[in-house]
Amino acid sequence: MVFNSDIFLFAFLPIVFVLFWTMRSKQSRYVIMTVAGYVFYGYWNWHFCFLLLFSSLVSFTAGNLMTRVRSGRAKRTIVALTVGTDLTLLGFFKYYDFLVRSVSSLLPGVHLPLLDIVLPIGISFYTFHTISYVIDVSAGRVRATRNLFEYLTYVSLFSQLVAGPIVRFRQIEEDLEHLDGPPREDWVARGIAFFVIGLIKKVMIADHIASDINPMLQHVGSMTVIEAWVAALGYTCQLYFDFSGYSDMAVGLGLLFGLRIPQNFNSPYWALGITDFWRRWHISLSSWLRDYLYFPLGGNRCGTAMMFRNLMIVMLLGGLWHGANWTFVVWGGYHGLLLVLDRIGTPFYTKLPRHVYQLQTFLLVVVGWVLFRSSTFGMALQWLRHMFVGPVGSLATVTHAAAWTAVALVIAATMPEAWEMRFGTSRRWAVLWGVLFVTTYFFMNGKESVFLYYQF
Amino acid sequence: MKFLRSFLASVAIIVLIYVTAVVIVNPRGEFPSRRFPWIIPNSRRVKVELFRAAMQSGPVRGIVLGSSRSMTLAPAALSAASSERFFNFAVFSSTIEDHLAILRFVIRSGAPLDNVIVGLDQDALAPGTPLRELTTNIDLATALRGESPTTVRRVMNWAQMVKAAFTPYYAANLGRSVDLAFAPEVPINVFGPDGSLRYVRWDAQIASGTYDGAGAFAECRRKQLELADTNAGHTLDSARTARFEELLRVADSVGAHVTVWLPPYHPALLQVLAARPPDQAALVALRTTVIELTRRYNANFIDLTNPAAFGAVDSWYDCVHYGDANAARIIATLIPVKR
């Protein structure tokens, strides 16, 4: 089920909303949210609900076990076993076939069976949820919950189950504890605003651009320089509006149910340097990688060389997290390298005029998205080559795509994130969001499209 | 929750206003209202209503099936040649599913059919899916499935039609229809009570010498070549071929004689297509299959792809749509067989 579908907007959401606010007790609301999460997830493939449940039960049990043991060694063992289980599941479902193909191409004599495994959507996200919970409990950053349904609500929260943001238990623990509170007018108003803004980003901008550039990318080999740039910039906008739109909708849905989901985007294309970019793009992932991978590796406390090594490891693994393809790994490595260069060159970069530094960062990110979008290295190299070499071509052949991309770029460069906007709770605001919602529906009616990050 | 109530109320009011406007303005002829002019009529919906009205004034014994390329065949001329009452049930962008659905609908409506004339476009049996206009037409969609329309299905269908109106394209049509009501202009086309189509605006422009024939031809050529490119490399679709055979079987079961014909291309387009081997191969495959099946069911087959086959004159709107003079010549070659 996707947020921009009739079944979600006109059946699932209203039913869950009414049931949730009709129930008074915290426990019944946990149960409603858990059931809703599993229905939402199972609508795609109910078999994988068992995997989600298993992963949740393992980490829930681990959390409770850790409250009973005192020795640090025992805790570490529990963490290792739980994280090992989670990563084994993730590794098997997401990376097994990828590994087999890679081994076969490297060692032609080795024949491992391909299993053609269907990737359970959202597994990358909920695995990170459960891992962060177990590590936080072991580190004493969060108290393990004894309420199974509270924990299941956290892991299976439909607003962020399949494509994030990657919410840590401690970030919504307080709201979960007060889930039996009455609805707050300002949260509901803000929730509707966030949801509608996210819907507009997805339907009216991201999907519109996608319909133009996807056909172009089927003929990467014959693109002109202008077409290659329009496609690259178009995808840059599509990805941002698609994913930040999804994140806004997730935040909005959370608020409708009394849960404050943290910010995931902060105008990333305004970033000053790659380090700054990663503080603004997919914030929940980059901060997760920082806290649960970069810091444990030593972070920047063990000297410059180790810091660079750590950055590279984190970004390579971050790239691999996005998908079982070497293009993602290389994309991660590319960003790791840019982070290293950013650290080295900071004294120089900070002397650059602000807009020049921003533009340089943006262009480096655009080049990275070419790798990210390409299904093969061949495609990426061809696309990159056509961006700089070959016939220049004419804008006339891609007028529509170029115009929409330009509009999207202007919006991305000038409009603040929903987080920075102030929304009122008056009737006028309600009417405004009503008008915008119906208008947006005109553009999505009959055209259900999934979010790009569902595939990760 | 005051804010939520205001939000939902505003959504409901906007939706209600829009739905009322859609039903009253009815820009595609899908609802009963006839107060505003149609913009790109839903030909399936319109023809079902016209056919029902025609049946009330006497039995229809012959029907014309096909796409816009068969729409200008005048039932009056066919009736004159056969002494039987004809109705032109050709619909825009028809597929083989449309032909079968319409035939079953006509039979279900109690028409004592003697003759069925099927204009089969060259891509009729290529892979593809039926248009939404067919699948959301309760009368034809149920006829295609061999079912009867129940009240529940009619309500669901109505809801589907209303929902389908929530698109920018439909809203633009709605606006244009209102606009035309206040500043009338000659419509592009008009359906007669016998289902035949007249391109009234184009006829008026041709008469006044203002018709952009070259532009229309170029645009039509582009679309036809695009369509040919889409179908290139595809063999005939087995499911669609089975639908075609089903059509012949159904007509045969009620004792109606079937004439299948391939509509003509403008000579200039024919020349272009002749130089494209995949298109020629597709045409040969279609012709072979149709000949074999029509023979099996004792039906007539007439290939008018080449306009020379019916002595075409220079009477064309574009590269595939012909004027009255050519329509008359085509009818002369399709004179139905009286049983």
Side-chain angles (χ1 to χ4, degrees):
Chain A
M1 207 182 295
V2 289
F3 299 159
N4 53 325
S5 64
D6 290 343
I7 183 84
F8 180 83
L9 290 172
F10 305 121
F12 181 85
L13 184 58
I15 290 171
V16 175
F17 187 84
V18 169
L19 284 175
F20 179 87
W21 290 111
T22 307
M23 301 291 172
R24 296 283 175 208
S25 76
K26 195 158 57 177
Q27 190 63 16
S28 52
R29 286 184 177 174
Y30 288 151
V31 173
I32 288 292
M33 291 307 276
T34 302
V35 172
Y38 278 81
V39 170
F40 180 85
Y41 193 68
Y43 185 79
W44 162 69
N45 185 336
W46 63 269
H47 295 95
F48 288 122
C49 285
F50 294 106
L51 192 65
L52 174 65
L53 183 64
F54 175 74
S55 182
S56 306
L57 289 177
V58 167
S59 47
F60 174 76
T61 311
N64 277 292
L65 273 178
M66 277 189 280
T67 59
R68 291 179 195 174
V69 296
R70 292 197 179 272
S71 87
R73 192 172 172 183
K75 279 187 182 176
R76 280 196 295 278
T77 308
I78 294 170
V79 170
L81 284 172
T82 313
V83 173
T85 306
D86 280 337
L87 291 180
T88 304
L89 288 176
L90 179 65
F92 176 73
F93 282 98
K94 190 163 179 174
Y95 301 108
Y96 174 81
D97 283 336
F98 166 66
L99 194 70
V100 169
R101 284 197 190 94
S102 301
V103 168
S104 302
S105 59
L106 278 173
L107 307 165
V110 179
H111 295 290
L112 292 167
L114 272 174
L115 300 179
D116 292 324
I117 298 165
V118 177
L119 177 69
I121 59 167
I123 190 169
S124 310
F125 289 92
Y126 69 69
T127 299
F128 273 27
H129 285 134
T130 54
I131 288 176
S132 69
Y133 172 76
V134 172
I135 294 175
D136 282 355
V137 169
S138 105
R141 286 191 286 261
V142 67
R143 192 181 297 169
T145 175
R146 288 172 182 272
N147 188 326
L148 175 62
F149 279 101
E150 182 184 21
Y151 187 70
L152 292 180
T153 298
Y154 158 64
V155 180
S156 65
L157 200 59
F158 65 83
S159 57
Q160 40 93 12
L161 174 60
V162 292
I166 301 167
V167 182
R168 304 190 205 165
F169 187 73
R170 62 185 139 121
Q171 289 175 311
I172 57 165
E173 186 185 11
E174 189 191 337
D175 291 342
L176 283 170
E177 284 301 319
H178 297 99
L179 207 62
D180 52 351
R184 286 183 52 170
E185 193 76 358
D186 55 337
W187 286 19
V188 171
R190 203 166 162 74
I192 290 173
F194 263 80
F195 189 83
V196 175
I197 288 173
L199 198 63
I200 291 170
K201 281 182 173 179
K202 164 69 178 160
V203 172
M204 293 179 75
I205 305 178
D207 286 352
H208 218 102
I209 294 176
S211 67
D212 280 331
I213 63 162
N214 284 343
M216 288 167 68
L217 293 178
Q218 286 174 354
H219 309 285
V220 169
S222 57
M223 283 200 295
T224 62
V225 171
I226 285 178
E227 286 169 349
W229 272 101
V230 168
L233 292 170
Y235 182 68
T236 300
C237 293
Q238 184 203 345
L239 188 60
Y240 166 66
F241 282 104
D242 189 284
F243 194 23
S244 75
Y246 171 86
S247 299
D248 287 345
M249 289 162 90
V251 171
L253 289 169
L255 288 169
L256 289 179
F257 292 92
L259 296 163
R260 286 167 296 178
I261 291 173
Q263 186 172 5
N264 210 22
F265 285 87
N266 183 15
S267 306
Y269 295 149
W270 298 6
L272 280 166
I274 294 297
T275 309
D276 188 31
F277 172 78
W278 281 105
R279 287 193 198 108
R280 293 163 173 267
W281 178 273
H282 202 173
I283 298 166
S284 63
L285 173 70
S286 48
S287 62
W288 195 101
L289 291 171
R290 180 196 63 204
D291 295 346
Y292 299 99
L293 193 56
Y294 182 69
F295 286 165
L297 282 170
N300 45 10
R301 288 167 302 179
C302 318
T304 309
M306 288 299 280
M307 178 180 77
F308 291 164
R309 184 207 68 161
N310 295 341
L311 282 173
M312 286 306 294
I313 290 174
V314 168
M315 293 315 290
L316 284 168
L317 289 174
L320 185 63
W321 175 88
H322 280 84
N325 195 333
W326 287 109
T327 52
F328 287 117
V329 179
V330 172
W331 170 78
Y334 168 76
H335 269 276
L337 196 65
L338 291 181
L339 282 172
V340 169
L341 293 174
D342 201 48
R343 299 282 168 104
I344 296 170
T346 299
F348 165 73
Y349 295 140
T350 45
K351 285 178 193 158
L352 287 173
R354 188 181 172 82
H355 291 309
V356 173
Y357 193 19
Q358 273 178 330
L359 184 65
Q360 175 209 296
T361 308
F362 176 72
L363 292 175
L364 289 171
V365 169
V366 171
V367 170
W369 291 142
V370 171
L371 270 168
F372 190 84
R373 172 62 177 81
S374 299
S375 48
T376 61
F377 287 119
M379 179 180 173
L381 290 173
Q382 269 193 328
W383 189 354
L384 285 170
R385 188 164 55 83
H386 288 302
M387 283 169 72
F388 301 100
V389 183
V392 176
S394 157
L395 262 182
T397 56
V398 285
T399 317
H400 195 260
W404 268 98
T405 301
V407 169
L409 282 172
V410 168
I411 293 172
T414 56
M415 292 285 285
E417 294 285 351
W419 288 88
E420 294 160 45
M421 296 180 188
R422 285 189 171 191
F423 307 113
T425 55
S426 68
R427 191 173 289 168
R428 280 184 189 176
W429 280 96
V431 173
L432 171 71
W433 298 124
V435 171
L436 289 174
F437 174 76
V438 177
T439 309
T440 310
Y441 185 75
F442 271 72
F443 290 87
M444 61 168 268
N445 188 14
K447 291 189 283 189
E448 202 171 290
S449 70
V450 295
F451 292 89
L452 289 175
Y453 261 65
Y454 269 38
Q455 63 186 302
F456 305 136
Chain B
M1 295 277 190
K2 220 165 69 183
F3 187 89
L4 181 67
R5 276 200 296 274
S6 300
F7 170 74
L8 292 176
S10 61
V11 169
I13 290 167
I14 297 164
V15 168
L16 198 68
I17 291 170
Y18 184 71
V19 170
T20 308
V22 163
V23 172
I24 292 174
V25 176
N26 188 23
R28 303 196 58 202
E30 295 164 318
F31 303 97
S33 168
R34 294 284 180 269
R35 293 174 197 199
F36 292 83
W38 293 333
I39 310 290
I40 314 174
N42 180 334
S43 55
R44 288 154 186 81
R45 172 67 43 198
V46 172
K47 292 247 172 151
V48 164
E49 298 309 324
L50 288 175
F51 179 75
R52 284 199 173 118
M55 282 290 283
Q56 280 178 357
S57 60
V60 170
R61 293 189 172 274
I63 54 167
V64 174
L65 302 176
S67 67
S68 57
R69 296 166 72 185
S70 298
M71 276 184 176
T72 46
L73 298 185
L78 288 161
S79 300
S82 64
S83 316
E84 286 185 342
R85 189 154 175 251
F86 265 78
F87 183 85
N88 188 317
F89 222 134
V91 293
F92 288 129
S93 307
S94 67
T95 63
I96 193 68
E97 288 83 5
D98 285 297
H99 304 337
L100 179 58
I102 291 167
L103 178 63
R104 281 185 170 152
F105 169 74
V106 167
I107 294 169
R108 191 172 72 191
S109 304
L113 282 185
D114 282 335
N115 278 293
V116 179
I117 296 176
V118 187
L120 211 57
D121 284 4
Q122 282 76 356
D123 60 329
L125 304 183
T129 49
L131 282 194
R132 194 179 163 79
E133 265 190 26
L134 171 64
T135 56
T136 57
N137 185 305
I138 185 73
D139 297 297
L140 300 182
T142 52
L144 181 64
R145 295 194 299 264
E147 298 166 352
S148 299
T150 60
T151 308
V152 175
R153 279 197 183 124
R154 281 193 187 282
V155 172
M156 294 286 288
N157 182 247
W158 192 89
Q160 265 188 325
M161 281 200 300
V162 168
K163 184 178 173 296
F166 280 79
T167 65
Y169 183 65
Y170 200 104
N173 278 344
L174 192 142
R176 177 108 182 90
S177 181
V178 173
D179 194 33
L180 278 178
F182 291 103
E185 57 182 57
V186 181
I188 291 179
N189 45 42
V190 168
F191 289 110
D194 59 5
S196 63
L197 180 87
R198 292 203 61 81
Y199 292 104
V200 283
R201 189 190 298 172
W202 293 349
D203 286 341
Q205 288 173 344
I206 288 168
S208 64
T210 56
Y211 184 66
D212 179 15
F217 180 88
E219 177 60 11
C220 169
R221 180 181 183 273
R222 186 188 65 76
K223 282 184 184 167
Q224 288 297 319
L225 293 182
E226 203 174 274
L227 187 68
D229 285 340
T230 309
N231 292 325
H234 291 297
T235 52
L236 298 186
D237 185 76
S238 57
R240 289 200 145 165
T241 307
R243 294 259 197 218
F244 177 58
E245 184 171 4
E246 178 68 5
L247 180 143
L248 295 171
R249 194 182 300 126
V250 170
D252 192 48
S253 69
V254 295
H257 184 263
V258 180
T259 300
V260 181
W261 69 290
L262 304 186
Y265 287 123
H266 187 285
L269 178 64
L270 193 69
Q271 251 184 345
V272 175
L273 293 173
R276 292 160 50 106
D279 299 338
Q280 289 309 301
L283 187 59
V284 169
L286 175 73
R287 205 181 280 139
T288 310
T289 303
V290 174
I291 287 172
E292 188 194 321
L293 288 173
T294 48
R295 215 174 263 162
R296 196 181 301 167
Y297 289 90
N298 197 25
N300 278 2
F301 172 68
I302 303 169
D303 184 1
L304 301 184
T305 306
N306 187 337
F310 60 92
V313 290
D314 191 18
S315 162
W316 297 86
Y317 293 113
D318 54 31
C319 69
V320 290
H321 298 104
Y322 43 82
D324 286 346
N326 279 333
R329 282 172 162 76
I330 290 169
I331 287 172
T333 65
L334 299 178
I335 292 172
V337 176
K338 180 148 183 160
R339 289 205 164 175

